[in-house]
Amino acid sequence: MNPSFAIAFRRWLSPLSKLGMLTALMTTTASHATSPVLDQANEPYSLYSVQLYTGAVPGGQTFTVGKTGKLSQVSVYVQKQCLPGCPDMLVQLRSTSGQVLASSTVSQASIPTGSYNWIDAGFSQPISVLPGEQYAIVIQNAQPHVSGGYDWKYETNSSVDSYPGGLLFQVGYNSHPAYDLYFRTYVNEVHNCAEVRAQNSAAPDGTYPLTLGGKQVEVYCHDMAGTPREYLTVKTGSTTNYSYYGQGPNTSAGGQTTWYSKVRLDPAALTLVLDDTTFSTSQGWMNFGSNFLYTSPLGSAGDCVTAYSQTGRSNIDLTGTSFDIVPGQFVTEGWVPAGSVANSGSQIVNLTGGGYCGATFDPDYRLQLTLQ
């Protein structure tokens, strides 16, 4: 064996150290508290606004969720319409069928008379929400038998649908598709699969929208009943998202190939963990001394055929995802090595590599990404 053999394949020859790194990564993805962020809103913007009186008869506004997370707060644009001794204002979050899901009582003393203001109502037990779900904000007197109530301002310019995701209604009366009350909703976003499970302990493995870098990204959550981990679902094919170690004196007939259907994602660092083979299939083997290996990391193309050979191949294809590949991360190393790196746009990279022995690969198997 030539003296640089171990250097050329030091990453393939250290699976136990890589396992340790993966274990550390699995155990350090933790939930963290976040401040709620604005999700949906209908802001005052024209002269075509009047008020909906909400006293004994509740009034409400439906809305469509845009972010994954815990809906923890809403704001309504209201004024008090009563004499001293007014009832407090009850703010409810309801399903579109009328079920009360969360509620908050706002002291009447904090709501002005004679001028409209944004009044915040926080929920002590926020509800889990997903994009596309619909709910209703409803306000009414907290003490139904006390006279007085609240004016909730709304948009009446019927030529403009100020909030297409919902409509104004009064409980027990008709809804008004052309009108929308002024409101805001706030959501505590989720940034990893551990936070998804923290919201719902029964959440199964599957695809969930996470917020990464301020954007909604579809991510597959694996092992939700154990240690939740994030994976990026990628395209599959015979020469798509695969690594091939070329046939040579140290391989089985046909060489060794590993294909990936999902790739481990570190959502905090925005990197792909290229040597996590959880969602992979393999064929063939390669051996280095007494070590027989049956998988190849994604983004690794090598062989041990002859000087400057490069029969190894690899492809990483992130089309259909929200991520781009940062260029300049691959190297070619080994004994009389050769290789190439060909980018096709910002989401596809094709590699060749080999030598006697040699390879083209990412030195730390952590492929840096950027969000589109």
Side-chain angles (χ1 to χ4, degrees), residues 244-256 285-287 302-306 309 311-312 355-357:
Y244 169 66
Y245 187 88
Q247 177 178 317
N250 65 328
T251 73
S252 57
Q256 194 282 321
W285 51 262
M286 51 192 164
N287 86 290
D303 70 23
C304 196
V305 175
T306 188
S309 60
T311 63
Y356 196 60
C357 301

Side-chain angles (χ1 to χ4, degrees), residues 287-298:
N287 86 290
F288 306 102
S290 60
N291 295 287
F292 280 78
L293 301 180
Y294 299 89
T295 62
S296 289
L298 185 60

